[in-house]
Amino acid sequence: DPPALAVISMDGGRYQRRDHFRSDPTQEVEGKHWRETKVGCLLSMQSEVHASDPSPQFPTWLATAAVVAELAKIAEKTTVSASRSPAQEAISPRGDERLYEPPKLVSREVVASSHEAERFGWELEARAWQLGFPAAPRQAFVADGLPVNWSIAARHFPRATPILDLMHGLSYAWSAAAAVDGGGSYRQWAEWIWNGEVTRAIAALEAHQQRLGMPPEDAQTSDPRWRIDRALTYCRNNQSRMNYPEYRRQGLPITSSHIESTIKQINRRVKGSEKFWCREPGDAVLQLRADSLSDSGPLDSFWRRWQAQQTGVNCYHAAA
């Protein structure tokens, strides 16, 4: 049976590859050692559909700039300390605050490879068909703002509701606010994003851009002009995928937390300063790691089939 809620999510990891092992040492090798892995999660989930947004009130814990910076992994290059941000006033929910209840995970299937985006899209779609995802009454595709994610979503999962990961959207708002006024604007911008009023956040960013000007080509990441332009471009490109009140009403996920944790589990096996792979064995290990993380246990069924086919007789080739 198809799941009540089918969620597709994808992201990229990193690993080191040396395709020139055992090749001519005098031959030049193009490209760098660090390559991208592509990982997809196919999540069967359960949730309720509501008549209206079940959590219209902006969560107080999301008002803490330090929390957003930590989750979004953008704190390392910021010049404004999150501990000094005016947005950091409370981290516990108020008594009258209704916390958002995300969909419950029923099962997870994982797909991973180093193939190019087009091929990986077909691999992800094929596995989704095996799981009955196209027949699910509700479908969602959740990812960050990387354009390749949304080209795969449009081509291979056109019936799924496209959703930009909320934490990525908030992190861009935090970075811009920290640069222009020490974070004082962050809470207001974050509330607009939470409430789906992205046009208001875009208007505020445009006002700051008009005041400060466009960033030069050699602008540093600490330059307020660079941060504002980066946040503005991100919100404009993803505005159609940031209707979070409607997603909460439909019981859809609004973060990509499952794929983010899966990437870390994949990276534990293949990523490391001392780990190098050739393409074919690297892809094999990626697939094995993905199978080991899938709740359907494809490795268990494989070993059962393999053992059932054993006859106990060793086959030897005749000597020449």
Side-chain angles (χ1 to χ4, degrees):
D1 295 334
L5 170 58
V7 178
I8 307 98
S9 191
M10 65 172 288
D11 202 351
R14 303 282 285 177
Y15 79 139
Q16 292 191 100
R17 208 172 75 201
R18 285 181 173 174
D19 295 335
H20 62 285
F21 279 153
R22 300 186 182 90
S23 62
D24 184 355
T26 64
Q27 186 178 12
E28 292 188 9
V29 179
E30 296 182 0
K32 299 180 180 179
H33 292 164
W34 285 105
R35 305 294 182 88
E36 184 183 45
T37 61
K38 293 179 177 61
V39 182
C41 277
L42 298 164
L43 310 172
S44 297
M45 310 188 85
Q46 291 180 343
S47 65
E48 295 184 14
V49 178
H50 306 272
S52 60
D53 182 3
S55 303
Q57 195 172 46
F58 180 67
T60 53
W61 71 272
L62 280 179
T64 307
V67 174
V68 176
E70 180 181 357
L71 293 176
K73 306 295 184 183
I74 64 168
E76 62 276 7
K77 291 187 178 181
T78 185
T79 57
V80 180
S81 172
S83 63
R84 292 188 283 118
S85 172
Q88 188 174 351
E89 68 270 359
I91 60 173
S92 59
R94 296 187 296 268
D96 60 344
E97 184 176 319
R98 296 177 60 186
L99 294 178
Y100 169 65
E101 291 290 339
K104 294 182 179 179
L105 178 65
V106 177
S107 65
R108 175 185 68 166
E109 297 297 306
V110 182
V111 178
S113 78
S114 66
H115 297 146
E116 67 280 1
E118 178 59 21
R119 180 172 173 179
F120 181 76
W122 287 109
E123 294 172 356
L124 198 58
E125 181 182 356
R127 187 66 183 121
W129 274 89
Q130 292 175 343
L131 298 171
F133 273 34
R138 288 178 294 151
Q139 302 172 31
F141 190 101
V142 187
D144 61 28
L146 198 65
V148 67
N149 295 335
W150 303 111
S151 63
I152 287 178
R155 178 163 188 172
H156 298 281
F157 304 97
R159 292 188 56 221
T161 301
I163 302 174
L164 177 76
D165 171 54
L166 172 69
M167 301 309 299
H168 277 82
L170 292 181
S171 72
Y172 279 78
W174 179 84
S175 178
V180 298
D181 59 10
S185 300
Y186 165 72
R187 173 154 189 160
Q188 180 63 80
W189 296 353
E191 287 184 1
W192 286 336
I193 292 173
W194 176 266
N195 292 323
E197 300 175 331
V198 185
T199 54
R200 300 182 70 177
I202 290 175
L205 288 166
E206 288 175 340
H208 283 290
Q209 189 174 71
Q210 291 176 2
R211 177 174 60 87
L212 297 175
M214 297 293 294
E217 291 185 2
D218 59 347
Q220 300 296 314
T221 57
S222 59
D223 190 327
R225 296 170 297 178
W226 182 87
R227 291 196 185 184
I228 291 171
D229 186 67
R230 178 172 172 261
L232 191 53
T233 301
Y234 196 83
C235 289
R236 284 171 174 166
N237 290 344
N238 295 287
Q239 184 176 357
S240 63
R241 298 182 278 266
M242 300 173 72
N243 190 3
Y244 300 113
E246 178 61 17
Y247 307 148
R248 293 191 294 269
R249 187 193 71 79
Q250 295 182 28
L252 306 179
I254 59 175
T255 71
S256 58
S257 56
H258 288 286
I259 187 65
E260 300 290 346
S261 61
T262 301
I263 289 289
K264 290 181 174 60
Q265 291 175 302
I266 293 286
N267 284 348
R268 285 198 194 103
R269 179 63 183 90
V270 301
K271 183 180 180 181
S273 59
E274 74 288 353
K275 296 179 181 179
F276 295 89
W277 307 89
C278 292
R279 178 158 195 165
E280 291 186 1
D283 269 335
V285 171
L286 283 169
Q287 182 176 346
L288 286 171
R289 182 59 171 163
D291 288 346
S292 71
L293 296 173
S294 298
D295 289 337
S296 63
L299 286 178
D300 295 336
S301 60
F302 166 79
W303 286 117
R304 285 195 297 268
R305 293 195 306 271
W306 181 84
Q307 187 174 17
Q309 294 171 0
Q310 301 308 301
T311 62
V313 178
N314 290 325
C315 297
Y316 297 95
H317 292 289

